[in-house]
């Protein structure tokens, strides 16, 4: 049974006075513990689809099921709670808070839970170890390289142990060496921790790390030839 199941989803919005439909009657399924890369030209709806899967945006029509949850049927409050527990979002530009240390940035999602301070600290330290930054816990973002900042951002996305990670151009602001290290880390989250990852990228090299590569073409997903 698919972990992600999109059935006949479309998205329409208005730009000026012109209706725009980047996603048209789209069907897609993703298995638990797999890695999907999404490619396509700018404006093709890749990030729109990512945001729909993350529960940040909503489809105009159709059904989106993540695990046992039909997120298209959820009211706003329930969807916010579901998103906090089930989705980690990784951005291209990290979005770290500059006045907080790496430890404090990673801890932020846990402050919204009932987890006590001791348990939060242990969870953050374990997550820092996963991303290879145990020795950078007290560093501020300005004291870190771009690759290290992205590792902190990934740690923040996984610290609450969500089953789904969505990543929007996670290597787009990094040099080749740092980008490769981030891709290896993402691959390990799938292989070693059974995370499901959906990643948007323009880089064919980055896409190769995934189990499947699909392209958005005129609002529909087309699986790349192997």
């Amino acid at each position: 049974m698919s972990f992600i199941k999109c059935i006949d989803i479309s998205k329409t919005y208005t730009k000026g006075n012109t209706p725009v439909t980047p996603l048209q009657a789209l069907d897609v399924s993703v298995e638990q513990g797999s890695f999907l890369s999404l490619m396509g030209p700018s404006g093709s709806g890749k990030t729109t689809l990512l945001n729909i899967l993350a529960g940040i945006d909503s489809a105009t029509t159709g059904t989106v099921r993540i695990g046992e949850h039909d997120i298209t049927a959820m009211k706003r409050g329930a969807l916010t709670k579901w998103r906090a527990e089930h989705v980690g979002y990784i951005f291209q530009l990290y979005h770290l808070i500059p006045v907080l240390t790496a430890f404090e940035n990673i801890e932020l999602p846990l402050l919204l839970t009932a987890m006590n301070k001791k348990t939060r600290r242990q969870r953050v330290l374990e997550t820092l170890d996963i991303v290879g930054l145990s020795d950078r816990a007290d560093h501020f973002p300005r004291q870190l390289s771009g690759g290290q900042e992205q590792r902190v951002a990934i740690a923040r996305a996984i610290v609450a142990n969500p089953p789904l990670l969505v990543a929007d151009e996670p290597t787009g602001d990094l040099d080749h060496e740092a980008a490769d290290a981030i891709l290896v880390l993402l691959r390990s989250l799938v292989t070693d921790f059974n995370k499901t990852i959906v990643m948007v990228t323009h880089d064919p090299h980055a896409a190769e790390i995934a189990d499947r590569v699909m392209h958005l073409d005129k609002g529909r997903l087309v699986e790349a030839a192997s």
Side-chain angles (χ1 to χ4, degrees), residues 36-59:
L36 172 65
S37 284
L38 296 175
M39 301 189 73
S42 296
S44 64
K46 302 185 302 298
T47 298
T48 299
L49 176 57
L50 212 63
N51 288 340
I52 289 172
L53 295 179
I56 295 171
D57 200 354
S58 58

Side-chain angles (χ1 to χ4, degrees), residues 94-152:
Y94 327 133
H95 294 312
L96 302 179
I97 297 177
V99 297
L100 300 183
T101 64
F103 183 101
E104 292 166 337
N105 268 283
I106 297 166
E107 186 184 28
L108 278 175
L110 301 183
L111 297 177
L112 302 175
T113 72
M115 195 177 292
N116 63 46
K117 184 175 181 180
K118 181 179 179 181
T119 305
R120 287 201 311 268
R121 175 176 172 78
Q122 184 61 34
R123 178 72 66 83
V124 174
L125 292 176
E126 290 171 353
T127 307
L128 277 162
D129 185 57
I130 290 171
V131 301
L133 288 179
S134 295
D135 59 343
R136 296 291 190 272
D138 296 328
H139 286 58
F140 292 93
R142 66 179 181 275
Q143 298 172 310
L144 302 172
S145 68
Q148 289 170 336
E149 286 189 86
Q150 188 61 293
R151 287 176 178 270
V152 173

Side-chain angles (χ1 to χ4, degrees), residues 80-106:
T80 299
K81 184 176 186 295
W82 172 86
R83 186 168 59 243
E85 295 174 351
H86 292 84
V87 184
Y89 208 119
I90 303 165
F91 303 91
Q92 178 178 345
L93 297 179
Y94 327 133
H95 294 312
L96 302 179
I97 297 177
V99 297
L100 300 183
T101 64
F103 183 101
E104 292 166 337
N105 268 283
I106 297 166

Side-chain angles (χ1 to χ4, degrees), residues 158-189:
I158 67 174
V159 69
N161 197 30
L164 173 62
L165 300 176
V166 294
D168 195 358
E169 296 281 358
T171 61
D173 202 48
L174 301 175
D175 62 38
H176 182 74
E177 182 177 355
D180 279 352
I182 291 299
L183 293 171
V184 169
L185 173 58
L186 293 176
R187 180 74 253 178
S188 74
L189 294 176

